[in-house]
Every structure is written in C-alpha cells, then in structure tokens.
Amino acid sequence: MPEKKAIVSIQNVVASASLKQRLDLDSIVRIIPGVEYRPEQFPGLVYKIKKPKAALLMFSTGKMVCTGATSERLAKRAVMKVVDDLKRNGIVIVEKPDIQIQNIVASGDLIGTIDLEKTTYALKKTIYEPEQFPGLIYRMDSPRTVMLLFTSGKFVCTGAKSESQVYEAVKVLQKNLEEKKLISYE
C-alpha cells in the first residue's frame, strides 16, 4: 500500500523573548493604547496585535512570551513588531531581543484509521484509557514530541521546537504505524 500524505496544520507557536533589560510596565500601559495590565491579578502586561495575530505577555524583567502565532516566522515577527512599537513610542530598547521557540502545537490527519488498542501494545511510551478519554497519548523520543492519536487518524502534535520537527514527527509516526500494520487506508 503506498504511503498516504498526512495533512498537517500548525495551530499555535509559543516563543519566549528576552530584551535583557527591565521594563516599566506602568509607563508602557500609559503610552500604548489597548494593552492590558492588572498587576493585582497577573504580573504581566498583555499586548495583543492583529497582524500577525498574536498575544504577547510582557514582564518587568524584560522577558516576553508570544502565543497565538501560526508559524515560527510569524511568532518572531510579532515580537519584533512589539519591540518596534515600544521604540516608536519612546521606550528605549538597547538590544535586539533573543527569541526562542518553546513549543509548537499542530493538528492533522493521517488519512487512515488507527487501531488504538493494538497501538498501545505495539509502541512504547503510550497511554490509552478509552473509558476516560478517546485518544491515545504517545510520547515520541525522536523527535521529542507528544502525539495525541484518535481512531479516525486525526492527531495533535505538541512539544516540537521547530516546524520541521513537527513534520519529522508526523513522518516517523506514520512510518511506525504502517510498518506495524496499525493504520489502514480505505
């Protein structure tokens, strides 16, 4: 049976960034409209942007977390856009931010049906308790990701540090399922 091409869609990229300097969040909230800062509820300032669509949490330590982007490139662009906004509004930013991808969440479809019961025994590091949750959790060693698999062939991949790691994980998963005859294509 020829290998089917899985459908993969990046849902969320989480990136961290460090400006290597302290930030006065009270000043930022006064200068930039639309940012949210309620220090009695949460120590970070929430900075939402529309293009690229993302939300950034900024902390007084100069650290930021970007979430909601749908690619590594857009996550980095979102961080740079916020830094440029800060500079344009008179906030002195000394260095270029150090941006690191922390986690990528993707979903997709292997275009086949998976026998989750057999998969539990055939693959190492799996958890499958159908009476509690209909998906199987598979912790992959290489690339180091966690796959949530469903009988329908649909999956969620989390823990990847790059988009290429997501695609590699899906390729390895599909190959393992095919070799062990755990997936069938109708």
Side-chain angles (χ1 to χ4, degrees):
M1 173 82 35
E3 183 185 304
K4 295 276 186 180
K5 187 83 169 123
I7 297 166
V8 180
S9 175
I10 306 291
Q11 299 298 323
N12 186 26
V13 177
V14 178
S16 64
S18 175
L19 296 173
K20 302 179 205 94
Q21 71 182 63
R22 295 201 59 83
L23 294 172
D24 181 348
L25 301 181
D26 290 315
S27 291
I28 294 170
V29 89
R30 281 194 302 272
I31 297 168
I32 298 176
V35 298
E36 296 170 32
Y37 183 45
R38 294 188 191 94
E40 64 286 348
Q41 290 177 359
F42 182 72
L45 178 148
V46 180
Y47 196 127
K48 293 180 183 170
I49 58 174
K50 286 186 171 62
K51 262 192 157 170
K53 190 174 186 320
L56 279 93
L57 302 177
M58 301 170 71
F59 300 92
S60 58
T61 58
K63 297 212 183 313
M64 298 193 284
V65 176
C66 174
T67 184
T70 53
S71 73
E72 291 175 68
R73 185 179 54 82
L74 290 176
K76 290 173 182 172
R77 190 187 295 167
V79 170
M80 293 312 295
K81 182 174 183 170
V82 168
V83 169
D84 290 344
D85 280 356
L86 294 174
K87 287 179 181 175
R88 225 184 353 269
N89 284 285
I91 311 258
V92 177
I93 306 292
V94 183
E95 288 185 47
K96 195 173 168 231
D98 174 26
I99 305 169
Q100 305 279 318
I101 302 300
Q102 297 300 328
N103 183 28
I104 297 179
V105 178
S107 63
D109 193 343
L110 296 171
I111 322 290
T113 55
I114 304 169
D115 185 329
L116 297 182
E117 200 67 49
K118 283 183 185 169
T119 302
T120 305
Y121 298 103
L123 300 178
K124 291 179 177 74
K125 296 186 178 178
T126 62
I127 300 170
Y128 182 50
E129 296 173 14
E131 57 284 340
Q132 289 180 13
F133 183 73
L136 176 143
I137 301 164
Y138 175 36
R139 295 182 185 285
M140 293 177 69
D141 286 329
S142 184
R144 200 176 157 101
T145 54
V146 177
M147 291 289 196
L148 191 52
L149 304 175
F150 297 92
T151 306
S152 64
K154 300 236 187 304
F155 65 87
V156 175
C157 173
T158 185
K161 301 277 189 188
S162 68
E163 290 173 51
S164 60
Q165 217 177 45
V166 170
Y167 291 103
E168 179 63 20
V170 172
K171 196 171 132 187
V172 168
L173 169 68
Q174 195 158 20
K175 183 174 176 269
N176 287 345
L177 293 174
E178 286 174 358
E179 283 176 358
K180 295 178 180 1
K181 296 181 178 16
L182 302 168
I183 188 167
S184 61
Y185 304 107
E186 316 285 295

